[in-house]
Amino acid sequence: MRPGNHTIDEQRQGEAVGPRSGKEGGRKLYLESYGCQMNFSDSEIVASILTDAGYSTTRNQEEADLILLNTCSIRDNAEQRIRHRLQHLKGGKRNNPKLKVGILGCMAERLRDKLLEEEKLVDLVVGPDAYRDLPRLVDEVEGGQKAVNTLLSREETYAEIQPVRLDDKGVTAFISIMRGCDNMCSFCVVPFTRGRERSRDPQSIVAEARDLFAKGYREVTLLGQNVDSYKWNVDAKGIVKDETQPVVRFAQLMDLVSDVDPDLRVRFSTSHPKDMTDEVLEVMARKDNLCKYIHLPVQSGHSDVLKRMNRGYTRDWYLDRIAAIRRIMPDCAISTDVIAGFCGETTEEHEETLSLMKEVRYEMAYMFKYSERPRTLAERKFEDDVPEEEKGRRLSEIIALQQEHSRERTAAQCGKVYRVLVEGPSKKNAEEFQGRNTYNSVIVFPKGDAQPGQYVYVRTTDHTSVTLRGERIAEAEAQEAGYIA
Ligand code: 5AD
Ligand code: SF4
């Protein structure tokens, strides 16, 4: 997943853009999202459902009638942050007694009505599969009651709901292609908060991509907890449901979405090493608009730890998948997730994680200390026995090594010519634009006459540890230089 857009625990507020926003005099919704890209994507569905029910979104918390926090439970500190946020909101409720506060997402699902007891200012608790019920629940709350719906579903994919895009740049967008997760990694709370895995109708996914392209978007990220197990018209045992219709797995879905337009870039997140097929890699290799970037969480470099984590692969299996990526797309960028100090992790096992990182040399990584989560397999079966200090020490080693690799990777990308999708002004200098190359690396360059949403050619001349800087060049010159698409 991309830096900046998906820092876990990152928080973002959104205001709806487009024709359905801003009904004068209507009720105002302030929506705040935490956690993964899937949560940000869900917030756009929530905004859509509530805009249809007469709300308009606002960026100004002071003028809101309803504040919704779309929450994350992945680690204890994610939940603590949201608890702090709720403390802050108490002041807002004192100033405006009519203000209603709701909790959505994973924390709502995990804690359910307990949240109402624990956090007195919360009026509304709604889990990830119950957003269609929001208008009714909000009405109940406005009538002075408290309301809860945390029913999980085996079918809900919100397939036909047209998300209200909360990112006002209008260049990149998320498309949810599936929901839930059946993997049961022993450390992970997601199967409990997001329920069983289900895939969304491919036609509705392609239609959404087409619609985004028509509106000027130039990049979509296909989202799922485990995109490699996307399947349509075939059950878990591989039996085709309707013989008259094609079976669509992730490789075919990518093919379909990439056919929307050669100028629509397609990314995806997250892959699972146990399910990632060569077929997917071959489709990626064939098409320039399928970006050469794979996020392949490893979690640990030792097979015994992977077994305790119930990941379904060994170190060798994982390295074989890396070898397949390198064979089929020698230049593909690879990033990962790593957990330090999982239950029973010995120093030797930790060293194996470092050695695997040295073997793969990831472009980028998200790195975490293990945080025990209630109800998970690990909580029930293993002791969280690596002392906090030792977890911190191991994590620091992992981070230091990754920084070395990231720097090395950025340096290797310097001096080349890339086709860059312009996203918007650079974070540090309003006179410059930033965009990304196919490898998901951020590239900064002087604005000139470029526009967000446009593709430009940039020769990189300079770099910091993670950002490249360069000069825009003409297409003919880029072609001569053999640019990277
Ligand atoms: N503790 C620490 N990190 C976790 N992750 C998931 N559950 C936990 C946990 N209990 C990390 C994994 C996953 C990423 C989204 O968050 O690395 O890939
Ligand atoms: Fe957090 Fe996981 Fe829920 Fe995403 S799915 S919001 S990362 S707990």
Side-chain angles (χ1 to χ4, degrees):
M1 299 196 190
R2 62 174 36 173
N5 244 346
H6 159 79
T7 340
I8 304 248
D9 304 339
E10 182 196 13
Q11 169 215 326
R12 222 188 318 161
Q13 296 121 35
E15 182 172 16
V17 284
R20 286 194 290 159
S21 61
K23 282 185 193 136
E24 282 306 313
R27 298 171 295 174
K28 293 223 182 278
L29 161 69
Y30 180 86
L31 187 53
E32 208 169 88
S33 303
Y34 296 79
C36 61
Q37 290 169 328
M38 189 63 93
N39 248 20
F40 290 98
S41 170
D42 279 2
S43 288
E44 298 185 331
I45 288 168
V46 168
S48 174
I49 291 170
L50 286 176
T51 325
D52 285 347
Y55 273 87
S56 62
T57 53
T58 172
R59 266 178 217 274
N60 179 2
Q61 190 189 313
E62 311 290 312
E63 63 172 25
D65 304 289
L66 174 64
I67 296 183
L68 296 178
L69 308 187
N70 197 356
T71 62
C72 174
S73 289
I74 197 97
R75 283 168 291 277
D76 185 55
N77 58 9
E79 289 197 357
Q80 292 315 323
R81 256 189 91 197
I82 290 152
R83 301 254 189 204
H84 279 126
R85 182 71 182 113
L86 284 171
Q87 290 306 314
H88 261 100
L89 286 179
K90 277 193 176 143
K93 210 154 178 169
R94 268 196 300 275
N95 296 339
N96 172 12
K98 285 215 312 243
L99 172 69
K100 302 296 178 192
V101 175
I103 299 287
L104 313 177
C106 291
M107 210 172 150
E109 193 61 49
R110 197 177 83 68
L111 294 163
R112 305 177 189 191
D113 30 13
K114 249 171 62 193
L115 258 178
L116 295 179
E117 290 157 32
E118 290 170 13
E119 303 286 350
K120 295 284 180 244
L121 90 157
V122 172
D123 303 289
L124 177 69
V125 176
V126 189
D129 283 346
Y131 297 147
R132 281 181 206 269
D133 199 18
L134 268 167
R136 185 187 69 81
L137 296 165
V138 166
D139 277 350
E140 258 181 42
V141 164
E142 281 183 351
Q145 286 163 289
K146 303 253 174 184
V148 180
N149 186 346
T150 52
L151 281 179
L152 285 174
S153 155
R154 275 173 180 264
E155 285 96 34
E156 181 62 272
T157 59
Y158 302 110
E160 83 304 346
I161 292 184
Q162 223 193 347
V164 166
R165 300 294 162 185
L166 295 168
D167 179 349
D168 56 3
K169 286 205 228 97
V171 178
T172 64
F174 299 128
I175 301 182
S176 247
I177 62 163
M178 56 204 298
R179 301 181 69 80
C181 185
D182 283 352
N183 282 333
M184 295 306 265
C185 299
S186 65
F187 51 78
C188 191
V189 77
V190 174
F192 305 96
T193 61
R194 289 186 163 266
R196 300 304 298 267
E197 180 189 292
R198 65 224 100 120
S199 296
R200 177 178 165 192
D201 181 344
Q203 292 313 322
S204 75
I205 296 170
V206 172
E208 192 172 328
R210 218 176 261 138
D211 179 60
L212 284 163
F213 188 78
K215 290 187 171 127
Y217 286 81
R218 290 295 174 264
E219 182 183 298
V220 294
T221 302
L222 307 180
L223 290 183
Q225 300 298 340
N226 176 4
V227 291
D228 298 289
S229 66
Y230 175 89
K231 52 182 147 332
W232 186 256
N233 194 26
V234 59
D235 69 13
K237 294 194 189 93
I239 297 168
V240 178
K241 291 180 184 167
D242 178 352
E243 295 284 355
T244 65
Q245 297 295 317
V247 167
V248 181
R249 294 187 189 272
F250 189 53
Q252 291 81 43
L253 181 71
M254 292 236 287
D255 226 350
L256 287 170
V257 179
S258 64
D259 279 344
V260 165
D261 196 287
D263 274 343
L264 182 70
R265 276 188 172 172
V266 183
R267 300 185 186 275
F268 56 92
S269 196
T270 301
S271 302
H272 196 301
K274 80 174 163 57
D275 299 320
M276 197 187 67
T277 61
D278 287 4
E279 200 187 0
V280 167
L281 302 176
E282 277 148 14
V283 176
M284 285 176 76
R286 227 177 44 229
K287 292 188 160 171
D288 279 347
N289 62 334
L290 292 174
C291 291
K292 305 296 175 281
Y293 173 78
I294 298 181
H295 184 66
L296 197 65
V298 65
Q299 315 297 1
S300 163
H302 196 290
S303 296
D304 291 351
V305 180
L306 290 169
K307 193 161 187 358
R308 293 201 292 282
M309 288 178 164
N310 200 28
R311 288 288 287 173
Y313 57 87
T314 59
R315 177 188 173 100
D316 284 350
W317 173 282
Y318 184 89
L319 288 173
D320 170 75
R321 295 292 75 212
I322 296 288
I325 299 173
R326 303 267 192 242
R327 186 177 68 243
I328 298 167
M329 288 177 290
D331 62 332
C332 189
I334 307 174
S335 61
T336 201
D337 290 346
V338 181
I339 297 179
F342 184 64
C343 308
E345 187 186 68
T346 63
T347 328
E348 292 72 36
E349 287 168 342
H350 162 66
E351 296 288 334
E352 287 282 284
T353 297
L354 299 173
S355 95
L356 181 134
M357 290 171 70
K358 285 179 193 157
E359 226 173 302
V360 180
R361 301 192 110 74
Y362 295 103
E363 247 78 14
M364 205 261 299
Y366 295 100
M367 300 154 284
F368 314 101
K369 276 197 266 184
Y370 172 60
S371 160
E372 185 176 84
R373 306 311 289 133
R375 286 175 74 200
T376 55
L377 226 65
E379 188 235 11
R380 285 180 279 141
K381 257 175 83 174
F382 306 120
E383 205 181 324
D384 179 12
D385 55 359
V386 178
E388 199 52 33
E389 214 184 7
E390 179 60 13
K391 282 183 189 168
R393 194 192 66 76
R394 291 181 193 177
L395 181 64
S396 308
E397 274 185 15
I398 290 169
I399 292 174
L401 182 63
Q402 182 52 45
Q403 277 172 346
E404 226 177 85
H405 295 164
S406 295
R407 266 199 302 274
E408 180 184 295
R409 288 291 180 178
T410 313
Q413 283 190 44
C414 200
K416 298 194 173 132
V417 177
Y418 299 95
R419 187 165 186 251
V420 172
L421 174 60
V422 184
E423 288 180 4
S426 106
K427 289 202 180 95
K428 293 200 179 123
N429 181 350
E431 294 311 305
E432 293 181 323
F433 270 140
Q434 77 168 45
R436 279 165 213 268
N437 61 12
T438 187
Y439 309 128
N440 209 31
S441 305
V442 175
I443 300 184
V444 175
F445 56 95
K447 270 185 173 168
D449 61 357
Q451 294 295 326
Q454 188 187 349
Y455 287 98
V456 296
Y457 299 91
V458 179
R459 186 190 297 280
T460 51
T461 50
D462 201 0
H463 66 94
T464 61
S465 57
V466 287
T467 307
L468 291 151
R469 182 176 298 281
E471 296 293 335
R472 209 177 140 187
I473 60 170
E475 186 170 353
E477 192 184 341
Q479 258 156 5
E480 205 164 302
Y483 71 87
I484 297 165

